[in-house]
Amino acid sequence: MSPTAAELLASGTAFVEATVVRCVAPTSARAGDRAIVLGDGTIDGFVGGSCADATVRLQALRVLETGEPVLLRIVPGEEDGPGEEEGTVVVANPCLSGGALELFLEPHLPAERVAVAGESPVARALVGLAGPLGFQARLSATAREGDFAAVVASLGHGDEEALRRGIKAGCEYVGLVASRKRGAAVLDALRAEGVDVGQVRTPAGVDIGARTHAEIALSILAELVAVRRARTVAPAAPREATDPVCG
């Protein structure tokens, strides 16, 4: 039995929900038909059959990369056309026999995991603000493989070890909450041990003139959003695919 959207969300699995919103005959799909597309290209559901599946799969995988929803128009013909509006993609499919489909491709991405080392006021504020921004933050935690970020806000209590773990876990973001002077001293100590600290950001966060604990946490989350967005801005995927049925 295939997992439902709710089960995929609960398990932290990324997927795209494809919904047929408009059809032009002849086509076997009907408005309201749905399918789930997984990161490996698996399609569970019906959105037009074999002729549409290849196009839906290709565009859904692109949506997973960018994290942005798309209105996909599949039209008969040999050449793709430009989308009339932002957020619209038009793809020609010679397999369609005069019909056309419009589908809404909506990405569902699991929250990025953030390990927050320490129980300082900044650490607590960061955990409290993280959820609405799409981050799953754990307080007083050490980074592990698969974590998006490691933020060290322990105010000098085990900073070096927490940074080592974040670097070793391969986190895309590793940040240290500290003054410039103390941050430099911590990085120097790690360099002396042979640790590559090139990716560590200290003081963590973008410069917004933060003073309060909540403002510092906000500046760190803004930096996390910037790193996440930079990762998901990918070049346009090719719009060509060979249908396995009709060639």
Side-chain angles (χ1 to χ4, degrees):
M1 183 176 179
S2 300
T4 64
E7 291 170 339
L8 291 171
L9 287 171
S11 67
T13 302
F15 67 96
V16 171
E17 187 172 15
T19 304
V20 178
V21 295
R22 181 172 175 267
C23 305
V24 176
T27 175
S28 56
R30 294 291 181 269
D33 285 345
R34 297 174 181 266
I36 287 174
V37 185
L38 300 179
D40 62 0
T42 301
I43 297 180
D44 180 32
F46 182 81
V47 286
S50 58
C51 283
D53 280 356
T55 301
V56 171
R57 179 182 294 110
L58 185 66
Q59 296 300 323
L61 294 178
R62 182 184 178 193
V63 164
L64 279 180
E65 290 178 355
T66 64
E68 299 293 338
V70 161
L71 179 63
L72 171 63
R73 292 190 175 113
I74 307 177
V75 298
E78 300 289 341
E79 296 184 4
D80 297 346
E84 297 175 2
E85 301 173 353
E86 184 177 354
T88 302
V89 175
V90 179
V91 178
N93 188 334
C95 186
L96 294 180
S97 303
L101 290 171
E102 287 189 10
L103 306 99
F104 183 64
L105 306 183
E106 181 181 9
H108 295 272
L109 305 176
E112 303 279 10
R113 298 201 315 252
V114 180
V116 183
E119 295 191 10
S120 66
V122 170
R124 293 183 180 278
L126 194 154
V127 171
L129 295 172
L133 295 173
F135 298 108
Q136 182 184 13
R138 311 186 309 277
L139 185 63
S140 192
T142 54
R144 57 177 184 257
E145 187 176 350
D147 284 346
F148 168 68
V151 178
V152 181
S154 52
L155 301 182
H157 303 288
D159 287 352
E160 290 87 348
E161 179 59 24
L163 288 173
R164 284 192 206 95
R165 288 180 178 272
I167 295 168
K168 183 177 180 180
C171 297
E172 294 184 45
Y173 177 97
V174 180
L176 171 63
V177 179
S179 66
R180 294 188 183 279
K181 183 176 180 179
R182 187 170 71 83
V186 170
L187 296 188
D188 285 343
L190 290 172
R191 288 192 193 96
E193 299 174 9
V195 178
D196 182 359
V197 296
Q199 75 176 96
V200 178
R201 300 168 188 244
T202 186
V206 298
D207 185 4
I208 60 172
R211 294 184 179 181
T212 68
H213 299 139
E215 289 173 348
I216 294 171
L218 176 63
S219 75
I220 295 169
L221 287 166
E223 195 166 47
L224 290 178
V225 170
V227 172
R228 180 176 63 187
R229 289 298 184 187
R231 180 192 64 190
T232 58
V233 175
R239 295 182 180 177
E240 297 181 359
T242 300
D243 190 280
V245 176
C246 65

